[in-house]
Amino acid sequence: MRSTLYLLLGTLAFCIGLAALNGSSAGSEFADLSPADQATFDPLATSMRGYLLAQIALGLLGGLVITSEYGVRTIVSTLTSVPHRARVLASKAVVLAGLALPVGIVMSLAGFLVGQGTLSGAGAPHLALSDGVALRGIVGGGVYLALAGLFGLALGTVIRSTTATVTTLFGVMLIVQAFAPALPGGVGDWVSKYWPPIAGGQVVTSYRDPALLSPWAGLGVMAGCVAALMAAAFVVFHKRDA
């Protein structure tokens, strides 16, 4: 559908614009930061902040892969043509991942290049593509966004409603992350460390916070959560009537 292309292009434009704004703002303020804040300055996260919206966009795309069929009842025709339900859902997952992974890498690369160029122009610390942490952020960011798409597919399969899927995506990926620091004591610390979208988001950071998981470990938590939810989606899709 044309809306898919518009969604992806709009998200790409947002990621680029946010990278430019963040880079310009952070770069101009860097010299005025305290030594402690300068030591924890994260040029990679500064330019990759657009992933927060991109994860919702690709999660929504993943949800629509299945909920749109339930919405217009074409799921009945699909399952009549291909009665093997696991094959139907697996095919949707493969096609979605095949689209979301390269698109996620392109979004991460574009945000990185624009953000680092802006930081460089402002005289603030910045990264080059040859830096290992930069490649990890770009590739890992693409993998994270592909996982977000599969997360949306799994949610959509279980919930079946586009509206409820979108609401759940916002809650899981944005609202919990925003309010995690305000949660009391150990609960807040646990959520900030192990909540899958927060843990997975560590892959697009260059500053290593000892209180949080390492980038690849965090991405592993996100991948494990998506795998578990996809397994549940396969079970529900197999057992539930169309």
Side-chain angles (χ1 to χ4, degrees), residues 170-223:
F170 270 95
V172 170
M173 293 187 162
L174 290 181
I175 296 178
V176 173
Q177 183 163 340
F179 285 95
L183 295 175
V187 175
D189 294 338
W190 187 92
V191 171
S192 296
K193 186 173 184 178
Y194 293 109
W195 189 254
I198 299 177
Q202 294 304 306
V203 80
V204 294
T205 63
S206 55
Y207 169 70
R208 176 74 176 90
D209 187 339
L212 303 177
L213 294 176
S214 65
W216 291 118
L219 191 64
V221 169
M222 178 68 174

Side-chain angles (χ1 to χ4, degrees), residues 62 65-66 69 75 78-79 82-99 149-150 153-154 157 229-235 237-238:
V65 167
I66 188 74
E69 288 216 63
I75 191 65
T78 297
L79 295 179
V82 186
H84 197 296
R85 296 192 175 200
R87 185 179 301 167
V88 172
L89 187 55
S91 298
K92 289 179 178 292
V94 169
V95 171
L96 174 65
L99 172 67
L150 292 173
L153 173 61
T157 304
L229 192 56
M230 280 300 302
F234 271 97
V235 172
F237 192 60
H238 178 73

Side-chain angles (χ1 to χ4, degrees), residues 113-200:
L113 292 176
V114 172
Q116 299 309 309
T118 309
L119 287 172
S120 176
H126 57 280
L127 300 169
L129 271 175
S130 57
D131 294 326
V133 69
L135 293 177
R136 183 255 290 163
I138 294 168
V139 176
V143 173
Y144 176 87
L145 292 177
L147 289 171
L150 292 173
F151 185 80
L153 173 61
L155 277 181
T157 304
V158 173
I159 298 174
R160 294 189 172 190
S161 165
T162 299
T163 302
T165 299
V166 172
T167 302
T168 305
L169 280 171
F170 270 95
V172 170
M173 293 187 162
L174 290 181
I175 296 178
V176 173
Q177 183 163 340
F179 285 95
L183 295 175
V187 175
D189 294 338
W190 187 92
V191 171
S192 296
K193 186 173 184 178
Y194 293 109
W195 189 254
I198 299 177

